[in-house]
Amino acid sequence: MNRTTLSLIGAATALAAVTGVASLTAGSSEDPAQPVAKAARRLPVERSTLLCPPPTSSEVGSTTYTAYTPTGNGEGTGDGAKKATAGLLPAQAPDDESASGPKGGEKSDRKGAQKGGSDKAGEPVVPLKEPGKPVTTETDRSDAPALIGTADGSLAPGWTVQQTTTVAAGTGRGLLGTACAAPDTNFWFPGISTAKDRQDYVHLTNPDDSAAEVDLKLYGEEGRLKPSTDEAITVPGRSTVPVLLSTLTDAQAADATLRVSARSGRVGATVQAVDQTFGSDWLPASAEPSTSVVLPGIPADATSVRLVVHAPGANDADLKVRLAGRNSAITPAGHESLHVKSGMTAWVDFGDLTKGEAGSLVLTAEGGKSTAAPVVAALRVTRGKGTDQETAFIPATTGIERTATAADNRAKGSTLSLVAPNGSAKVRVTASAGSGGGRPVSKTIEVKGGTTVAAEPPHPASGKGGYAVTVERISGGPVYASRMLALPQGGIPMFTIQALPDDRATVEVPAARQDLSLLNDAGQ
């Protein structure tokens, strides 16, 4: 092939690339009025992926799935609502024990492995048809599988799925709730335990066709916990693998931190914590390590609040501790600061920290920025007394840049907590239509700097069934949020708390323009 032919091929390739790029913007490069470069535009995402862990292996458990996409985020998605789809399909369990998991012989516990499949193979779970209206479904299967799902087009921006499970009795008794999460390559779980009275499983779900290689590492108050078995896990494509954390080490650590990191591929990871005394709930991953963390929404009637913090960096972390209450931020008596050594996990038991007033915990680095060390953190919150206690977790979360949504809310039992750790902020809270109809209702809430507002969210007008609550930041400083769902049963104050990070419904897309000089370069 001669040089001229190569030049023609290069020119054609460049022309195709220029044509594709130019389609992102209007106008022509020959128009002298057109600016040389345009600022990036913020556009709705066109695809979202979510992973839900297997809900429970209990014979007395019942699970509700609620899916929702807010309105107003899908404009400009191109294909429009006609091609929009959103739904989840069952993941599969590995066919045999040797395919993945700890190589710890009899210590390896695979009781939670899912059988895969569904009642009607190939039919998606909670498929959405339109934004603005939640869809719910229920199952009481003890072998209900993990779910892998995608949303496209106008249903993708802000797509949220909530999984809420009630276990009436026995091991794991309690209300377990989690928002199905996006896959990633790195997760931190402060607040896990390998003690005898806890059974903590990390559920790893691979949404892709190729296998993922995952490392699991545990850290206690003196650093890395010595592994007793291979910590490398293979998660086959489109499958889920549960791992009992106490099989990874001989150490019994009441308060520890788990790191999940993917050598190859990506996974969803969530920890199911089962306590013999305090019930059970899901422990989601903490926000990425930061020198300032916020843990929003400690209930007013919390009887015990336990903080677990890990410093993953090379330096020790020295943190100021503040409780943002209803009227102001205060320093908890006797807990003004916290020192966390590098690579180690520290904990603080605050007791009944809120004393009848809802609040949020705010941790900030002491000293200058040059000496600050990032941390990850989570709270274990307990309500009730004696044998009628129930527990939930609040991980450190990210602030709401634009919107965040809690998909599963009921006529009674929902409490929304909003905290503005710095300056005051204003948000719009919108209740969607119910799964059985109705109309959306909105109200505006102002959150003063350094305080927490805890209130029942609005209800849909004339609506029935579950509904979603969306928080939209209108103005002011950073806002962090969580939602508590309380469904008491048999004298036990069953509850679960979900932090509400920004839903990342939009993304910045750089502007592009035609540049025919590329053709000259290709032809040289």
Side-chain angles (χ1 to χ4, degrees):
M1 187 177 295
N2 59 34
R3 181 179 180 87
T4 302
T5 305
L6 289 172
S7 298
L8 290 173
I9 292 174
T13 303
L15 180 60
V18 169
T19 303
V21 171
S23 67
L24 294 174
T25 59
S28 168
S29 62
E30 297 177 358
D31 183 0
Q34 182 176 340
V36 174
K38 293 182 179 180
R41 293 187 300 164
R42 185 165 285 276
L43 297 175
V45 299
E46 295 188 0
R47 167 166 283 204
S48 297
T49 300
L50 293 177
L51 308 174
C52 307
T56 181
S57 58
S58 173
E59 297 290 343
V60 291
S62 176
T63 299
T64 299
Y65 295 96
T66 306
Y68 179 73
T69 294
T71 57
N73 284 333
E75 299 166 355
T77 53
D79 290 339
K82 291 184 178 180
K83 295 182 180 179
T85 59
L88 302 109
L89 293 171
Q92 300 296 316
D95 291 332
D96 79 295
E97 184 74 18
S98 62
S100 59
K103 308 301 188 292
E106 295 181 356
K107 291 190 66 176
S108 177
D109 188 333
R110 305 282 295 166
K111 182 178 180 180
Q114 299 303 304
K115 295 180 176 61
S118 61
D119 292 332
K120 295 181 180 180
E123 293 190 7
V125 178
V126 285
L128 282 180
K129 301 298 183 183
E130 59 182 319
K133 183 179 179 180
V135 175
T136 65
T137 190
E138 297 182 359
T139 181
D140 57 4
R141 288 177 51 182
S142 61
D143 63 344
L147 300 175
I148 300 172
T150 58
D152 296 286
S154 61
L155 294 174
W159 182 47
T160 303
V161 180
Q162 169 80 16
Q163 174 180 298
T164 306
T165 301
T166 302
V167 179
T171 303
R173 176 270 300 160
L175 183 66
L176 300 87
T178 187
C180 302
D184 208 336
T185 58
N186 194 51
F187 304 86
W188 289 96
F189 295 94
I192 64 94
S193 176
T194 60
K196 285 185 177 180
D197 58 356
R198 281 270 291 271
Q199 279 195 324
D200 288 10
Y201 285 87
V202 61
H203 291 265
L204 306 171
T205 304
N206 179 1
D208 302 317
D209 292 331
S210 58
E213 299 292 332
V214 180
D215 285 335
L216 305 179
K217 296 180 180 179
L218 299 171
Y219 300 87
E221 60 182 350
E222 296 182 359
R224 177 85 178 274
L225 297 181
K226 184 179 180 181
S228 61
T229 186
D230 187 358
E231 296 171 302
I233 306 294
T234 299
V235 186
R238 310 290 296 180
S239 72
T240 185
V241 173
V243 180
L244 181 61
L245 297 183
S246 60
T247 64
L248 299 177
T249 180
D250 292 328
Q252 294 188 20
D255 299 282
T257 299
L258 166 69
R259 183 182 186 183
V260 177
S261 55
R263 297 183 192 177
S264 64
R266 58 179 185 158
V267 294
T270 309
V271 171
Q272 187 179 48
V274 179
D275 192 289
Q276 294 180 4
T277 303
F278 302 115
S280 60
D281 205 348
W282 291 101
L283 169 58
S286 169
E288 287 295 310
S290 175
T291 56
S292 177
V293 299
V294 179
L295 304 104
I298 305 171
D301 60 351
T303 53
S304 176
V305 178
R306 193 177 186 90
L307 170 68
V308 181
V309 183
H310 178 75
N315 299 321
D316 293 357
D318 290 291
L319 304 168
K320 293 181 181 179
V321 181
R322 291 183 300 152
L323 176 67
R326 181 174 57 190
N327 299 313
S328 63
I330 64 171
T331 300
H335 300 291
E336 296 81 5
S337 62
L338 176 64
H339 180 76
V340 187
K341 294 183 179 180
S342 170
M344 301 184 187
T345 299
W347 58 270
V348 178
D349 196 339
F350 291 105
D352 56 341
L353 176 65
T354 53
K355 299 186 182 300
E357 182 179 301
S360 302
L361 209 61
V362 180
L363 309 178
T364 54
E366 288 186 331
K369 292 184 178 179
S370 61
T371 60
V375 297
V376 292
L379 293 173
R380 188 182 78 182
V381 178
T382 304
R383 298 171 68 226
K385 296 181 179 180
T387 58
D388 295 333
Q389 295 184 76
E390 166 73 321
T391 192
F393 296 91
I394 306 174
T397 188
T398 58
I400 299 174
E401 295 182 12
R402 285 174 171 77
T403 57
T405 298
D408 182 7
N409 296 274
R410 316 289 174 92
K412 295 181 180 179
S414 292
T415 301
L416 179 67
S417 292
L418 304 164
V419 56
N422 302 318
S424 297
K426 186 179 292 186
V427 302
R428 181 184 295 111
V429 180
T430 301
S432 74
S435 58
R439 301 185 309 277
V441 173
S442 297
K443 72 175 182 179
T444 300
I445 299 177
E446 185 172 350
V447 188
K448 295 181 179 180
T451 70
T452 296
V453 173
E456 183 179 359
H459 295 203
S462 304
K464 294 182 179 180
Y467 65 99
V469 171
T470 298
V471 180
E472 178 186 1
R473 187 171 72 90
I474 299 174
S475 63
V479 177
Y480 298 76
S482 69
R483 188 285 317 265
M484 180 177 79
L485 180 62
L487 301 175
Q489 189 175 108
I492 300 172
M494 292 188 179
F495 75 113
T496 182
I497 299 174
Q498 278 73 59
L500 304 181
D502 189 87
D503 58 18
R504 299 179 181 179
T506 60
V507 63
E508 285 191 351
V509 178
R513 64 182 178 84
Q514 294 175 351
D515 186 357
L516 298 180
S517 65
L518 288 172
L519 297 178
N520 294 330
D521 294 338
Q524 293 176 357

